[in-house]
Amino acid sequence: MPRHLKVTTEIFPIAGVFTISRGAKTEARVVTCTIEENGFVGRGECVPYARYGETIEGVTDAILALSERIEGGLERASLQQVMPPGAARNAVDCALWDLEAKTSGRRVAALIAPGAVPLVTAYTISLAAPEVMAEHAAKNAHRPLLKVKVGTPDDSAHIRAVRAAAPNAAIILDANEGWSDETIERHLAVAAEAGIALIEQPLPAGQDAILANIHRPVPVCADESVHATSDLKNLRDRYDAVNIKLDKTGGLTEALAMKQEAERFGFSVMVGCMLASSLAMAPAVLLAQGAAFADLDGPLLLKTDRDPALRYDGSLVFPPEPALWG
C-alpha cells in the first residue's frame, strides 16, 4: 500500500506574551507533516521562521512539492539531497524517523540514544522592563536553569535584576543578535560579574568577526550564525558553543551529524528549539542526550499542548513515549 502524505497548520496559544529583541508573539504557528503507510503513521512538526525567510505557506508548499517522491518511498538519506536545510525538511525528516520506528517496532531512542534519561531544560524569561523580568525570574528562581532574553542597547539593568531575583540559578543570556560592536565588551563584563553561564548569539550573523579579537570572559554560543554542519569550521575562532535546532538543520538526521562534528571541533553543544509543541520537542530530547545545555521548554510556554504530550516535571523533560513520537 503506497504512502499517503498530509500537511496541516496548527496554532497553539502562548501563555502570556513571548518577547525577544525582534518582537513579540502570542501564539505558536506550526506545520505538521504526516506520512501514513500500511496503517502506520509518522509525524513531524516544524516552525517556519521569518528570520530565515520562511512562511507557513512556503513551508507547506515545499513539503507538498515532494509528495510524489515521499509517497513513492523517498528515504531520509535521499531527503538530505533533494531538500535544503530548514523547517520544511525538518518536518519531513522527523515524520520519516517516526514512521520507521512505527513500522519496524524499534524505538528511535534505542537507535540513537540508548539509555535516554530525563534532562534539565532551560526555562525562558521574556524580554521586558528589568523590574518585570526580575518578577518573572523570582517566580522561577527554583528552576536550575533560566534562559533570559536580552538584546537592547543597554542590558546591564536587565542582567543584574534577573541575577538578583534568581541568585542560585544558572543563567543563559540570549541576545538574539541584539548587541553591537560598541556594546559587546561592556555586556560581556556585566555578564561575567553576574556569573552568567553562557551568552547566545550576541551579534548579528555575519557581523560577528569582533568575537575572534576580544576577551570572552563568558562562553559565547552561536545560534543564528550556525545552521548546518558545514558552518562549523568557520566559527571556531569566535564561538565556544553552538545551538543545534532541528528547524535550522532540517531535521534529526543532519542534527545528529552536526552534533558529532561540533564535539569533534571542541564546541560545547546546546540543543534548542523554536516555540512549538511536544511533537517538535520529542526528537530534540533524544538529540540533547549528553549535551551541555538543553533548551526545550516550548510546551511549558503554551496554554495548551498536544495530547499525548511530553512529560515535564518542573524543569525536567522526559524522553518521548511512542504514542507521541518515535
Side-chain angles (χ1 to χ4, degrees):
M1 185 175 180
R3 290 176 175 173
H4 175 68
L5 172 75
K6 184 169 71 171
V7 185
T8 56
T9 299
E10 297 171 86
I11 296 176
F12 294 88
I14 295 169
V17 178
F18 182 80
T19 304
I20 66 173
S21 61
R22 283 192 288 270
K25 59 168 61 177
T26 58
E27 61 185 23
R29 301 181 70 204
V30 308
V31 174
T32 304
C33 174
T34 302
I35 304 174
E36 183 176 357
E37 183 179 28
N38 296 324
F40 297 100
V41 177
R43 298 185 301 160
E45 177 182 304
C46 71
V47 179
Y49 198 36
R51 167 66 179 81
Y52 305 136
E54 296 175 333
T55 64
I56 293 285
E57 296 75 19
V59 165
T60 298
D61 289 346
I63 296 172
L64 291 175
L66 282 181
S67 293
E68 288 189 10
R69 291 192 183 193
I70 293 170
E71 293 175 358
L74 180 72
E75 300 298 340
R76 286 186 295 104
S78 300
L79 176 67
Q80 313 307 306
Q81 310 306 318
V82 301
M83 212 173 190
R89 193 175 79 186
N90 176 34
V92 177
D93 183 75
C94 288
L96 288 172
W97 274 99
D98 191 29
L99 182 64
E100 289 170 30
K102 300 294 195 299
T103 57
S104 69
R106 294 196 65 194
R107 301 280 300 278
V108 176
L111 298 175
I112 69 169
V117 297
L119 302 173
V120 171
T121 176
Y123 183 83
T124 301
I125 305 296
S126 285
L127 181 60
E131 60 273 18
V132 175
M133 294 179 71
E135 180 182 349
H136 291 167
K139 290 178 180 177
N140 291 281
H142 61 284
R143 296 182 183 272
L145 181 61
L146 298 178
K147 179 169 176 175
V148 177
K149 294 291 187 178
V150 290
T152 71
D154 187 357
D155 278 320
S156 300
H158 301 83
I159 297 168
R160 290 178 176 134
V162 169
R163 171 48 80 202
N168 298 318
I171 294 176
I172 300 167
L173 298 180
D174 187 1
N176 285 113
E177 305 179 279
W179 294 350
S180 66
D181 286 3
E182 291 70 36
T183 64
I184 180 71
E185 291 183 273
R186 170 163 47 87
H187 284 137
L188 284 171
V190 174
E193 167 199 306
I196 299 303
L198 190 72
I199 298 173
E200 193 178 344
Q201 197 66 41
L203 299 170
Q207 300 176 41
D208 51 8
I210 192 175
L211 291 173
N213 301 308
I214 62 173
H215 175 53
R216 301 195 299 266
V218 176
V220 178
C221 178
D223 182 1
E224 285 86 351
S225 288
V226 61
H227 291 257
T229 307
S230 58
D231 296 328
L232 293 169
K233 61 181 179 296
N234 297 321
L235 302 177
R236 286 177 290 176
D237 63 342
R238 56 192 76 175
Y239 290 100
D240 309 289
V242 293
N243 188 348
I244 302 176
K245 295 178 179 176
L246 300 182
D247 277 316
K248 291 190 301 179
T249 65
L252 182 59
T253 303
E254 172 68 14
L256 288 165
M258 183 175 172
K259 182 184 178 187
Q260 183 177 29
E261 187 72 350
E263 291 171 341
R264 188 178 75 83
F265 279 140
F267 289 109
S268 293
V269 171
M270 172 193 287
V271 174
C273 65
M274 303 302 186
L275 190 51
S277 83
S278 282
L279 180 58
M281 304 301 125
V285 171
L286 301 182
L287 176 68
Q289 298 292 314
F293 297 97
D295 176 26
L296 302 173
D297 65 341
L300 297 179
L301 306 175
L302 302 177
K303 283 184 180 178
T304 57
D305 193 9
R306 293 186 184 274
D307 184 17
L310 281 175
R311 177 186 169 194
Y312 286 86
D313 183 1
S315 288
L316 282 180
V317 56
F318 288 72
E321 294 296 330
L324 171 64
W325 185 88

